[in-house]
Amino acid sequence: MTAVESRPAGVVLTPSPGGHRPFGARVKAFVALTKPRIIELLLITTVPVMFLAEQGVPDLWLVLATCFGGYLSAGGANALNMYIDRDIDALMDRTSQRPLVTGVLTPREGLVFGLTLAVVSTLWFGLLVNWLSAALSLGALLFYVVVYTMILKRRTTQNIVWGGIAGCLPVLIGWSAVTNSMSWAAVILFLVIFFWTPPHYWPLSMKVKDDYARAGVPMLPVLASNKVVAKQIVLYSWVMVAVSLLLTPLGYTGWFYTAVALATGGWWLWEAHALLNRAKAGATGAKLKEMRLFHWSITYVSLLFVAVAVDPFLR
């Protein structure tokens, strides 16, 4: 998303004071710092929960306020993540064009931008939504920046497992925005995203494990065989699908959500076991087809949470 010349990964371009950095490129770079495509997924898990909490259509102003606050908060967390990780981002092909690596923005600009979004988003939630949602939003930001980025990411293969908690909190934020309280329904959906995150991210990590190895980031596929990673994916997948089915017997959802959860969960398990079978057979490279599960994981969570939103109207 930045207008820069191509260059080898690992070469950091630092703009000189007063150097020419086109306005349009800088605007795009600031937007890129927020990682908009990742935030899309966070909003997909936030808005449907608001419909479930309301058991109908929530106040549209509240939905907009929650989405905008969520964008600011997640954007601030992502900007601070890029500020902290700019050294390893320069070593990986996948991240070598990020604004703080290419020099379109300075590290100081990235830091100030991230901190500003953190403060503004917290006040936005507190003043326009409620303070419980503000606390959850700030907690998600701090967990992602401090616990995941600063502590776990470079130290353990469990980084994405526990660091993924930050990505689960938008579910709680969506519920609390409507009710100013918590519920077991929100906790169950929180756990769905918790168990979804590793089997969603590990296939991508398998694809780009050379990048992570070059940067010294101990993602599980870097240190374990494809078969071991695929077994972990299958394990988390079964737990995820089982947890997703708890909403109905506890009385929070009806037949429509159950049907969607069974259909999409069944297809997920089919893909997860297919990946494991290919890994056991020694498939590598394009034959492993690990990205099939990664792409399906995005479709799965989108369909499941659409069902969360639609189900109250069909009961």
Side-chain angles (χ1 to χ4, degrees), residues 187-258:
V187 172
I188 289 169
L189 290 170
F190 172 98
L191 291 174
V192 170
I193 300 300
F194 177 80
F195 290 110
W196 168 86
T197 302
H200 157 70
Y201 200 80
W202 279 333
L204 175 62
S205 300
M206 295 168 80
K207 177 74 172 180
V208 298
K209 65 181 179 181
D210 290 342
D211 257 5
Y212 283 119
R214 184 163 56 249
V217 178
M219 287 293 179
L220 182 62
V222 174
L223 300 178
S225 67
N226 288 338
K227 184 167 73 171
V228 169
V229 177
K231 285 182 178 179
Q232 288 292 306
I233 287 173
V234 167
L235 175 62
Y236 275 90
S237 298
W238 274 99
V239 176
M240 176 197 71
V241 173
V243 170
S244 73
L245 295 172
L246 291 177
L247 284 176
T248 302
L250 292 178
Y252 293 110
T253 52
W255 68 269
F256 181 75
Y257 170 83
T258 304

Side-chain angles (χ1 to χ4, degrees), residues 149-220:
T149 305
M150 298 179 67
I151 298 175
L152 296 176
K153 185 173 181 178
R154 308 191 193 203
R155 289 180 172 86
T156 173
T157 58
Q158 293 295 299
N159 48 20
I160 200 64
V161 176
W162 299 106
I165 289 175
C168 306
L169 286 172
V171 172
L172 303 186
I173 294 169
W175 188 278
S176 68
V178 173
T179 67
N180 200 19
S181 65
M182 279 294 101
S183 162
W184 282 112
V187 172
I188 289 169
L189 290 170
F190 172 98
L191 291 174
V192 170
I193 300 300
F194 177 80
F195 290 110
W196 168 86
T197 302
H200 157 70
Y201 200 80
W202 279 333
L204 175 62
S205 300
M206 295 168 80
K207 177 74 172 180
V208 298
K209 65 181 179 181
D210 290 342
D211 257 5
Y212 283 119
R214 184 163 56 249
V217 178
M219 287 293 179
L220 182 62

Side-chain angles (χ1 to χ4, degrees), residues 31-311:
V31 173
L33 283 181
T34 66
K35 300 182 184 178
R37 294 188 65 183
I38 292 178
I39 294 177
E40 287 175 12
L41 277 178
L42 298 180
L43 296 181
I44 284 172
T45 63
T46 302
V47 176
V49 175
M50 299 180 74
F51 280 75
L52 182 63
E54 185 68 35
Q55 285 296 297
V57 180
D59 180 83
L60 294 182
W61 159 250
L62 181 62
V63 173
L64 291 174
T66 303
C67 288
F68 186 69
Y71 188 96
L72 293 178
S73 180
N78 290 330
L80 293 172
N81 167 269
M82 287 198 199
Y83 169 78
I84 295 166
D85 278 352
R86 63 191 187 279
D87 58 331
I88 58 176
D89 282 347
L91 300 175
M92 298 194 293
D93 294 334
R94 189 170 65 90
T95 56
S96 63
Q97 294 300 303
R98 286 180 172 175
L100 301 187
V101 178
T102 61
V104 176
L105 298 175
T106 67
R108 178 182 176 82
E109 288 173 325
L111 176 61
V112 171
F113 181 67
L115 291 175
T116 300
L117 290 185
V119 172
V120 172
S121 65
T122 303
L123 292 175
W124 176 277
F125 267 115
L127 297 174
L128 298 178
V129 182
N130 58 58
W131 287 104
L132 175 57
S133 297
L136 290 169
S137 171
L138 180 59
L141 184 149
L142 292 175
F143 199 96
Y144 183 68
V145 174
V146 178
V147 178
Y148 172 66
T149 305
M150 298 179 67
I151 298 175
L152 296 176
K153 185 173 181 178
R154 308 191 193 203
R155 289 180 172 86
T156 173
T157 58
Q158 293 295 299
N159 48 20
I160 200 64
V161 176
W162 299 106
I165 289 175
C168 306
L169 286 172
V171 172
L172 303 186
I173 294 169
W175 188 278
S176 68
V178 173
T179 67
N180 200 19
S181 65
M182 279 294 101
S183 162
W184 282 112
V187 172
I188 289 169
L189 290 170
F190 172 98
L191 291 174
V192 170
I193 300 300
F194 177 80
F195 290 110
W196 168 86
T197 302
H200 157 70
Y201 200 80
W202 279 333
L204 175 62
S205 300
M206 295 168 80
K207 177 74 172 180
V208 298
K209 65 181 179 181
D210 290 342
D211 257 5
Y212 283 119
R214 184 163 56 249
V217 178
M219 287 293 179
L220 182 62
V222 174
L223 300 178
S225 67
N226 288 338
K227 184 167 73 171
V228 169
V229 177
K231 285 182 178 179
Q232 288 292 306
I233 287 173
V234 167
L235 175 62
Y236 275 90
S237 298
W238 274 99
V239 176
M240 176 197 71
V241 173
V243 170
S244 73
L245 295 172
L246 291 177
L247 284 176
T248 302
L250 292 178
Y252 293 110
T253 52
W255 68 269
F256 181 75
Y257 170 83
T258 304
V260 173
L262 285 170
T264 56
W267 187 258
W268 177 298
L269 293 174
W270 175 273
E271 288 289 352
H273 279 278
L275 176 61
L276 176 58
N277 290 336
R278 291 191 294 271
K280 285 181 176 179
T284 57
K287 293 182 179 180
L288 186 59
K289 299 179 182 178
E290 68 280 346
M291 294 299 286
R292 283 175 58 102
L293 183 58
F294 173 77
H295 292 304
W296 169 247
S297 69
I298 298 172
T299 303
Y300 167 82
V301 79
S302 301
L303 293 175
L304 188 74
F305 276 80
V306 166
V308 167
V310 172
D311 189 85

Side-chain angles (χ1 to χ4, degrees), residues 15-22 26:
S16 58
H20 178 64
R21 291 176 287 164
R26 284 169 52 75

